[in-house]
Amino acid sequence: MTENNFSLKKIEISVSEAEKRSGRNAVNMQETYTAYLVETRSVEHIDGQSVLTDSLWRRYSEFELLRSYLLVYYPHVVVPPLPEKRAEFVWHKLSADNMDPDFVERRRIGLENFLLRVASHPILCRDKIFYLFLTQESNWKETVNETGFQLKADSRLKALNATFRVKNPDKRFTELKHYSDELQSVISHLLRVRARVADRLYGVYKVHGNYGRVFSEWSAIEKEMGDGLQSAGHHMDVYASSIDDILEDEEHYADQLKEYLFYAEALRAVCRKHELMQYDLEMAAQDLASKKQQCEELATGTVRTFSLKGMTTKLFGQETPEQKEARIKVLEEQINEGEQQLKSKNLEGREFVKNAWADIERFKEQKNRDLKEALISYAVMQISMCKKGIQVWTNAKECFSKM
Amino acid sequence: MSGGPPKALPSTGPHSLRDMPHPLAGSSSEEAVGGDSTPSPDLLMTRSFGDKDLILPNGGTPAGTSSPASSSSLLNRLQLDDDIDGETRDLFVTVDDPKKHVCTMETYITYRITTKSTRVEFDLPEYSVRRRYQDFDWLRNKLEESQPTHLIPPLPEKFVVKGVVDRFSEEFVETRRKALDKFLKRITDHPVLSFNEHFNVFLTAKDLNAYKKQGMALLTRVGESVKHVTGGYKLRSRPLEFAAIGEYLDTFALKLGTIDRIAQRIIKEEIEYLVELREYGPVYSTWSALEGELAEPLEGVSACIGNCSTALEELTDDMTEDFLPVLREYILYSDSMKSVLKKRDQVQAEYETKLEAVALRKEDRPKVPADVEKCQDRMECFNADLKADMERWQNNKRQDFRQLLMGMADKNIQYYEKCLTAWESIIPLLQEKQEAK
């Protein structure tokens, strides 16, 4: 479903608020959930002013529904991922609770990011269901379900089967799948270790806070040393409390990494689709070849392969020429059909590969840009942390010098 | 002092019968104790072992007496300011050059002790001897015995649990060397201790073991008598100023103990942080191998984290080697000071008890007997010595801690500066526009 509604206008999307709600769920049980306010603004060309055009509330499950839909209808697109459902890779101070305000806040940002990515995608932005997601609060779920996209979805079993049995997938996709597996593994590892690093760093900073108290107590029994100790102790307190903000900022970096961790899964989905289509094609070609062979055998009377018909013929006697004619006719029809199908499947396959690869190239550029920026902002965070550290210890040193 | 009957002791405190100016008072140090202002020649010459006529273990120039070489230098030495003009000092002692000795029975380390002095107590201007920890321990015991009214600096801890700490590792030996050096320098700086006979022998004797076997402790009279105090006397109350010192030392030791624990905890946390960092950096390298355009930036981040890890390791090593030992030294110091305080209490108790006994004798003309007078002498000497030493100790402590804590701040600043440099240097690498691959 496409709609050219806003490919011409510039729009701004934001997920501006999050609210706790309670209501009854599908099995009529009371539940609490968070609703997010999705606001759309159109930007007038002339004066750059934005006008609020739509504003509605969505919950996480509706975002999930939207994404599932997009995955089915745009299998050749690397569909942007959603922020994580449950908090993972947390370091100890960070809450793993979904209702925790910090988690909700980071999720709000993640959901906004998701919508922005979809809106800036050349193909996805034109989708009608996406448009309705932003504009039609009521009955949107029904509308999506009415598209019947769930039925169109490939079964996991089919996909798995295809992955194992496909003979000639495009090499690029095989490499890409391998890459996305490795990427997923390395980013997971990175996020796990980073969480432990954050934990340890927290410990180091916080223990310094103890100096504050003991210096204060010590200064009470000292004459000339007292003031210097006391004020140095204060700086130790400052040092200890500075880690909270530092690590909060670092969570943003972790979120950027997580997005690409989940993007790896989206890449794999595209590869799987290719494998499925290729396998389908190979099966169709194989089927066609066997039908052609059967036809040939019937026509020439030679039996090269075992067939049930051949067996029964032997047992119960040859079939009549009419029966044979009839069968040949059926087969020829099937062969014709098969050849047409093969042709269109081939075409489809090539289209898919072309489009998918174009989107993958687009994705690669985006990934390189985004991750470079993420690394730069991480380095900037580290620099800021170092500068703060130098500041605090320089202040403490001055206090000590006055002892 | 010539070889006559032992006169009043050269101590830093005011004498009961003479008015000796307190050396710390900064006044002229011309006034001598007991007449003779220069050591007699034969005293200088008879600094040979086994001569029982030697009576003054802490040298012929008691504090406050003038001696050509040392009067002004003494005053200067007594200035408790850090920037002592090197030229006015007349005794320099250094501990360096640790060497391992492997013998059949044991393995041990010796340190070279270099002494440079213009003092008359030293026959030669320069000495170089080798000593081991045992020798330092012996020296300290001798000083405690012979100068019981003074605060003797602490030694680094004697026993190390084998297997936990490598006694022969470079770091351990270096830490110990620094502490031994500090120990000798503190004695060198002390106006009384630095003239101690045992100290002199320690610095100069080729065969210290022979001297040790002497067994004859050259005690001062105070030393003798303090040793003989059986300790059976009960002190009624500590004078206010010494009570204050006692309380101060108690709290001080407590706070230092807490600081020691905090510092250890920080080092522990930093080491654990380091372990994680050492795993963290290489993951970026692994990732870099998967990428094209991102390969260099990722590799750069990996190297950067590696540099920060190294800087952190340096920080924890420094803190372990330089910070913790000094803290521990001061805790030991305050412990030994408390025992000196107790000895002082004993001396006072003895005096008060004896005085009371006299008072109870109800004589019509209560004359203070000689031995009670001696007790009073002892007590007042002790008090004066202790007070002077306390003040010196307080000033040195202030300097030492200022230096220690500034050092700690410095090390942390250096750590952050190294990390800052590392991260700042990869920013251009990250921002570099690469050719499309």
Side-chain angles (χ1 to χ4, degrees), chain A residues 67-104:
Chain A
R67 186 164 192 272
S68 304
Y69 164 84
L70 291 173
L71 279 172
V72 170
Y73 272 91
Y74 302 93
H76 58 291
V77 168
V78 183
V79 178
L82 285 171
E84 55 192 354
K85 194 159 184 148
R86 260 166 286 279
E88 276 179 63
F89 306 110
V90 285
W91 59 282
H92 90 278
K93 260 295 174 169
L94 223 50
S95 174
D97 173 19
N98 280 10
M99 287 305 196
D100 180 75
D102 284 332
F103 178 77
V104 169

Side-chain angles (χ1 to χ4, degrees), chain B residues 26-288:
Chain B
S27 53
S28 146
S29 54
E30 292 331 305
E31 287 165 44
V33 173
D36 268 334
S37 49
T38 44
S40 66
D42 49 307
L43 186 67
L44 287 177
M45 290 310 136
T46 53
R47 192 159 312 285
S48 53
F49 312 142
D51 189 327
K52 296 180 178 79
D53 287 332
L54 286 178
I55 38 143
L56 298 168
N58 52 349
T61 43
T65 58
S66 66
S67 118
S70 67
S71 54
S72 55
S73 66
L74 177 67
L75 247 186
N76 283 332
R77 212 183 310 123
L78 295 175
Q79 273 169 28
L80 301 167
D81 203 59
D82 222 7
D83 31 347
I84 285 182
D85 190 338
E87 287 167 37
T88 58
R89 279 166 155 268
D90 62 356
L91 176 63
F92 299 87
V93 179
T94 318
V95 179
D96 64 5
D97 191 35
K99 273 199 169 63
K100 192 153 129 178
H101 299 254
V102 184
C103 310
T104 40
M105 292 301 283
E106 53 173 351
T107 307
Y108 58 91
I109 308 262
T110 62
Y111 304 84
R112 178 177 65 188
I113 320 292
T114 312
T115 307
K116 293 193 172 86
S117 179
T118 53
R119 287 190 187 178
V120 291
E121 293 77 18
F122 293 92
D123 296 338
L124 303 172
E126 201 170 316
Y127 289 90
S128 181
V129 296
R130 294 207 77 92
R131 299 284 181 246
R132 54 186 290 193
Y133 183 91
Q134 256 180 25
D135 302 330
F136 283 84
D137 198 36
W138 167 87
L139 172 63
R140 189 170 192 281
N141 288 332
K142 284 300 179 202
L143 286 174
E144 268 189 333
E145 269 174 25
S146 55
Q147 312 279 173
T149 63
H150 289 288
L151 302 174
I152 316 295
L155 275 178
E157 276 150 343
K158 185 178 214 165
F159 300 109
V160 277
V161 183
K162 288 198 186 138
V164 173
V165 179
D166 179 8
R167 290 181 301 141
F168 303 111
S169 76
E170 242 181 78
E171 294 85 18
F172 178 78
V173 170
E174 176 57 18
T175 302
R176 206 174 231 203
R177 182 203 66 76
K178 280 193 229 170
L180 295 175
D181 185 78
K182 193 90 213 264
F183 171 72
L184 291 184
K185 285 191 159 71
R186 280 175 170 149
I187 299 173
T188 308
D189 286 346
H190 196 287
V192 175
L193 295 179
S194 62
F195 288 93
N196 183 284
E197 160 84 43
H198 303 295
F199 183 52
N200 186 296
V201 170
F202 176 90
L203 294 177
T204 60
K206 282 212 174 56
D207 183 1
L208 188 62
N209 286 326
Y211 178 76
K212 283 189 199 178
K213 287 188 178 116
Q214 292 290 305
M216 286 304 294
L218 301 169
L219 297 171
T220 63
R221 270 165 75 221
V222 170
E224 275 282 348
S225 45
V226 168
K227 229 180 116 188
H228 291 333
V229 167
T230 55
Y233 303 99
K234 187 154 182 278
L235 180 69
R236 216 158 285 148
S237 69
R238 237 184 207 174
L240 223 55
E241 57 185 330
F242 293 108
I245 291 176
E247 271 170 38
Y248 170 83
L249 287 175
D250 282 336
T251 311
F252 178 71
L254 257 177
K255 295 307 147 194
L256 280 196
T258 306
I259 292 174
D260 180 59
R261 276 192 302 280
I262 295 172
Q264 278 188 67
R265 178 74 191 277
I266 289 176
I267 291 171
K268 176 169 165 284
E269 295 283 338
E270 282 174 345
I271 288 174
E272 290 181 341
Y273 173 48
L274 182 63
V275 166
E276 302 297 349
L277 277 184
R278 290 231 184 267
E279 190 182 329
Y280 186 50
V283 182
Y284 282 98
S285 261
T286 309
W287 187 358
S288 153

